[in-house]
């Protein structure tokens, strides 16, 4: 039996390598670029075979979340699905060696994107002709599928299994070759989500780009999760509604809108967005902050420094002070770097009234307030 | 730590003179005091000194006047200058500082995160 004591520094040092393998090409978009449909379909069929399913399923792959939703409804929604399942039955038979004549009349008027998937499974060209659009009303009434039977975290689990299996030298008594194959091919399959049924599997591909910070999905400049024609905005791991970014780009993200917003995550997101795009100066302007204290300190050698303490008039429910109390004003200490001339607005605790005391508080942890704020050299 | 009235800073890296090396300080190899992954820049002390680690930063026991440089890692690699030589390197943003002989506590300026309600080291 292996225990945590077997996790030597050498083995621990390999964890980042496994993480990098799971993430780097996915985040950068290399994985999306190099993806091949047959690798993905082969992976699904391998899993069905491993699960001792007799039939190879029909694999339908969506390139984006919106296409996934469209396909799901076209295949599984009773109000919309008419001939779709007949087509799936026929493809299923053909994929599994039955000799039948595929009835191409069934696909006439179907959604061409879905027909393209059928064609890929059949390995032949199919022409759906003129699409007969499904009425918006049916889509409005349709059931929403949001429970996935496989998620992007499957790769995370598989990576940990492989790490334990390989680095602790714990070979499986059976199925070792399957674990190896699944791990070796999981990135190529590039599956974000999968809805597995007896005859048909609906897959959503991994995104074309992912942007994160140390907290989670994060980008103040573009969608943090991207597919070629759509994306999802996140700030510090929190999902942001599109209007936040759209309004910002249009210049219509006003303080009044911010004030009316009740969702704390969205409010915090707006603050983060403005701060990352325009710096603290932009945020001060947006929030309408003013100087509450200004002092000039003469340091040794005659160098003078002007410190300013800014606060907003208004309190914000999502902001805390250093005591952890919510509903506080936003506050900043203004300093200028003597070497570069760069102005800094550093977020501070709104409890301060004195700019010099505030500047002392920002010194490194462990320096007591009794040490005067007086530099012999500042560069 | 007993602080003396010697204070120097180079950007967000701040030096404070102290009376002696704290008993809990652990001697470490000389290393960069701070490094920016984003820009490739670093703050590092060059000269004859011993470096110790404490919970909130480092203790520097400077045996001579040392040079605190803010430069680029890529530039340093080309110079063959070691951390034991009190030399001035081409600056990245901040001018070099002379750190006088003696014992110093060095730490990083802090910022307050009002969304989290806590202080953290300034990052660049």
């Amino acid at each position: 039996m292996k225990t945590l004591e077997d996790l030597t520094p050498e083995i621990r040092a390999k964890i980042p390598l496994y993480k990098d393998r799971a993430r780097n090409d996915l985040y950068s978009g290399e994985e999306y670029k190099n993806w091949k449909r047959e690798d993905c379909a082969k992976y699904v069929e391998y899993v069905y075979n491993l699960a001792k399913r007799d039939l190879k399923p029909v694999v339908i792959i969506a390139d984006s979340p919106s296409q996934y939703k469209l396909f799901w409804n076209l295949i599984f929604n009773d109000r919309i699905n008419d001939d779709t399942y007949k087509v799936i039955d026929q493809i299923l038979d053909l994929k599994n060696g039955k000799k039948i004549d595929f009835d191409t009349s069934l696909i006439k008027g179907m959604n061409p994107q879905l027909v393209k998937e059928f064609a890929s499974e059949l390995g032949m060209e199919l022409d759906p002709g003129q699409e007969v659009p499904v009425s918006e009303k049916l889509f409005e009434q349709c059931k929403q599928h949001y429970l996935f039977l496989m998620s992007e975290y499957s790769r995370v689990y598989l990576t940990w299994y492989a790490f334990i299996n390989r680095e602790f030298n714990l070979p499986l008594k059976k199925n070792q070759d399957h674990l190896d194959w699944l791990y070796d091919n999981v990135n190529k399959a590039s599956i974000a989500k999968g809805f597995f049924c007896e005859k048909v599997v609906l897959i959503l591909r991994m995104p074309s780009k992912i942007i994160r910070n140390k907290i989670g999905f994060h980008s103040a400049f573009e969608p943090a999760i991207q597919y070629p024609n759509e994306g999802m905005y996140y700030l510090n791991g929190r999902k942001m509604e599109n209007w936040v970014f759209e309004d910002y780009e249009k210049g219509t993200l006003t303080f009044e809108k911010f004030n009316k917003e009740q969702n704390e995550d969205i409010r915090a997101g707006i603050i983060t967005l403005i701060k990352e795009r325009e710096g603290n100066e932009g945020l001060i302007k947006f929030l309408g902050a003013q100087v509450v204290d200004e002092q000039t300190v003469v340091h040794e050698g005659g160098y003078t420094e002007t410190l300013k303490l800014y606060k907003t008039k208004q309190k914000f429910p999502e902001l805390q002070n250093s005591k952890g109390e919510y509903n506080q004003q936003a506050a900043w200490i203004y300093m200028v770097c003597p070497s570069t001339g760069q102005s800094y607005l550093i977020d501070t605790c709104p409890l301060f009234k004195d700019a010099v005391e505030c500047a002392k508080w920002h010194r490194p942890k462990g320096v007591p307030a009794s040490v005067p704020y007086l530099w012999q050299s500042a560069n | 730590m007993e602080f003396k009235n010697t204070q120097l800073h180079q950007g967000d890296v701040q030096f404070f003179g102290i009376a002696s090396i704290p008993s809990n300080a652990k001697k470490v190899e000389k290393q960069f005091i701070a490094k920016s992954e984003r820009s490739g820049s670093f703050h590092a002390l060059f000269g004859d000194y011993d470096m110790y680690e404490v919970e909130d930063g480092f203790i520097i026991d400077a045996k001579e006047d040392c040079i605190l440089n803010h430069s680029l890692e890529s530039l340093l690699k080309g110079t063959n200058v070691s951390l034991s030589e009190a030399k001035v390197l081409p600056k990245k943003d901040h001018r070099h500082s002379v750190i006088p002989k003696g014992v110093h506590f060095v730490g990083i300026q802090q910022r307050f995160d009002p969304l989290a309600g806590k202080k953290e080291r300034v990052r660049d």
Side-chain angles (χ1 to χ4, degrees):
Chain A
M1 191 179 82
K2 300 278 183 180
T3 68
L4 265 184
E5 286 179 7
D6 296 299
L7 182 60
T8 61
E10 290 75 26
I11 294 179
R12 191 185 283 273
K14 290 184 179 173
I15 293 175
L17 305 178
Y18 281 79
K19 286 183 174 177
D20 286 349
R21 182 191 182 277
R23 298 187 302 205
N24 287 0
D25 284 354
L26 169 63
Y27 289 0
S28 70
E30 274 301 300
E31 184 173 307
Y32 194 92
K33 206 169 75 185
N34 296 329
W35 179 85
K36 292 190 188 79
R37 191 190 188 283
E38 58 265 33
D39 291 333
C40 184
K42 192 175 164 190
Y43 202 84
V44 172
E45 287 165 10
Y46 190 95
V47 172
Y48 266 58
N49 183 48
L50 192 59
K52 303 200 188 314
R53 307 301 302 179
D54 294 333
L55 301 176
K56 284 182 185 173
V58 177
V59 182
I60 305 296
I61 302 169
D63 290 331
S64 65
S66 58
Q67 196 181 48
Y68 183 97
K69 286 176 191 166
L70 172 74
F71 284 175
W72 190 87
N73 281 294
L74 292 174
I75 298 168
F76 299 108
N77 190 305
D78 294 342
R79 292 172 186 274
I80 297 168
N81 180 5
D82 191 4
D83 285 335
T84 316
Y85 235 82
K86 289 179 195 163
V87 176
I88 286 169
D89 275 333
Q90 290 204 359
I91 298 173
L92 189 76
D93 285 345
L94 284 164
K95 269 191 87 170
N96 290 284
K98 277 196 187 168
K99 287 182 182 168
I100 61 161
D101 288 328
F102 181 70
D103 182 0
T104 53
S105 69
L106 287 171
I107 58 146
K108 292 294 174 203
M110 275 191 181
N111 175 277
Q113 296 170 56
L114 183 59
V115 172
K116 197 176 157 201
E117 284 299 302
F118 291 152
S120 295
E121 282 293 88
L122 286 166
M124 61 190 278
E125 293 283 323
L126 289 176
D127 178 13
Q130 189 67 34
E131 182 185 3
V132 180
V134 179
S135 80
E136 288 292 321
K137 211 171 179 183
L138 283 179
F139 271 106
E140 281 170 19
Q141 292 170 351
C142 73
K143 293 170 278 186
Q144 287 295 318
H145 155 61
Y146 57 91
L147 286 175
F148 300 92
L149 299 185
M150 176 191 167
S151 80
E152 47 278 73
Y153 293 103
S154 302
R155 185 185 302 194
V156 178
Y157 291 124
L158 191 57
T159 300
W160 281 114
Y161 295 153
F163 168 75
I164 292 165
N165 175 250
R166 294 177 182 195
E167 302 306 332
F168 285 89
N169 193 22
L170 285 170
L172 300 180
K173 286 178 185 159
K174 56 181 184 179
N175 290 333
Q176 179 66 49
D177 52 339
H178 291 312
L179 178 61
D180 287 342
W181 193 91
L182 290 170
Y183 181 64
D184 291 345
N185 291 280
V186 68
N187 291 12
K188 274 203 292 187
S190 196
I191 297 171
K193 299 189 185 297
F195 187 72
F196 297 89
C197 301
E198 189 180 358
K199 296 177 180 176
V200 60
V201 176
L202 178 57
I203 295 292
L204 171 65
R205 285 178 64 184
M206 283 288 198
S208 54
K209 190 178 177 187
I210 293 173
I211 307 167
R212 289 178 61 105
N213 65 7
K214 66 173 185 177
I215 300 167
F217 299 130
H218 176 88
S219 174
F221 296 88
E222 56 189 312
I225 299 178
Q226 296 178 23
Y227 282 88
N229 296 311
E230 59 193 84
M232 284 151 271
Y233 292 102
Y234 283 83
L235 289 167
N236 292 319
R238 293 172 176 86
K239 177 104 169 62
M240 285 294 123
E241 291 178 19
N242 287 2
W243 70 261
V244 173
F245 281 75
E246 287 163 4
D247 278 17
Y248 180 82
E249 296 297 346
K250 284 189 287 187
T252 54
L253 184 57
T254 60
F255 183 66
E256 288 67 35
K257 253 182 206 171
F258 169 77
N259 245 349
K260 279 182 192 162
E261 178 57 52
Q262 298 293 311
N263 182 301
E264 297 305 339
D265 278 349
I266 298 211
R267 288 170 63 93
I270 291 171
I271 289 176
T272 304
L273 175 63
I274 293 171
K275 201 168 165 177
E276 289 207 13
R277 297 286 286 260
E278 301 172 36
N280 273 338
E281 291 88 349
L283 191 58
I284 280 175
K285 198 173 152 196
F286 181 78
L287 298 175
Q290 56 189 10
V291 177
V292 293
D293 187 39
E294 179 173 339
Q295 295 187 46
T296 300
V297 182
V298 182
H299 297 287
E300 284 196 10
Y303 149 60
T304 61
E305 180 184 19
T306 300
L307 298 167
K308 294 179 191 175
L309 185 59
Y310 281 91
K311 283 187 201 177
T312 58
K313 282 184 185 169
Q314 193 171 332
K315 293 180 176 179
F316 302 96
E318 62 275 16
L319 299 187
Q320 300 175 53
N321 61 24
S322 56
K323 295 177 179 171
E325 295 164 336
Y326 282 93
N327 199 27
Q328 299 292 318
Q329 294 157 287
W332 298 266
I333 177 86
Y334 169 90
M335 297 166 152
V336 178
C337 172
S339 195
T340 62
Q342 173 77 33
S343 306
Y344 290 96
L345 275 164
I346 299 171
D347 294 273
T348 194
C349 171
L351 296 174
F352 283 105
K353 291 175 181 163
D354 183 299
V356 173
E357 288 307 309
C358 178
K360 282 182 178 178
W361 189 68
H362 284 273
R363 294 185 298 196
K365 198 175 170 191
V367 180
S370 58
V371 175
Y373 186 77
L374 214 56
W375 300 112
Q376 275 76 51
S377 166
N379 284 314
Chain B
M1 283 187 285
E2 185 190 334
F3 284 81
K4 292 157 62 178
N5 287 336
T6 315
Q7 302 174 42
L8 310 99
H9 83 87
Q10 184 185 64
D12 47 24
V13 171
Q14 303 187 351
F15 276 70
F16 296 84
I18 54 173
S20 59
I21 300 166
S23 56
N24 62 344
K26 184 184 159 199
K27 194 168 181 185
V28 292
E29 290 288 316
K30 283 177 178 174
Q31 55 195 271
F32 293 164
I33 293 163
K35 186 178 160 183
S36 167
E37 297 293 343
R38 189 177 56 83
S39 66
S41 67
F42 65 83
H43 295 266
L45 191 62
F46 290 75
D48 183 7
Y49 66 93
D50 287 332
M51 193 168 194
Y52 299 82
E53 205 170 57
V54 285
E55 191 183 351
D56 302 315
F58 295 106
I59 302 294
I60 299 292
D61 182 10
K63 316 287 185 192
E64 62 173 350
D65 286 356
C66 296
I67 305 295
L68 179 64
N69 282 302
H70 179 237
S71 189
L72 287 167
E73 225 178 331
S74 53
L75 280 173
L76 177 63
K77 276 176 189 161
T79 61
N80 287 326
V81 173
S82 82
L83 293 179
S84 298
E85 298 167 88
K87 288 192 173 170
V88 176
L89 295 178
K91 69 166 188 162
K92 161 73 171 59
D93 297 324
H94 303 283
R95 292 185 296 260
H96 74 275
S97 302
V98 178
I99 304 299
K101 181 180 174 182
V103 183
H104 307 267
F105 164 70
V106 55
I108 309 293
Q109 189 183 24
Q110 297 183 94
R111 67 178 285 274
F112 180 66
D113 181 349
L115 292 169
K118 62 181 182 184
K119 282 202 281 188
E120 58 185 25
R121 284 177 169 200
V122 166
R123 286 188 302 271
D124 61 14

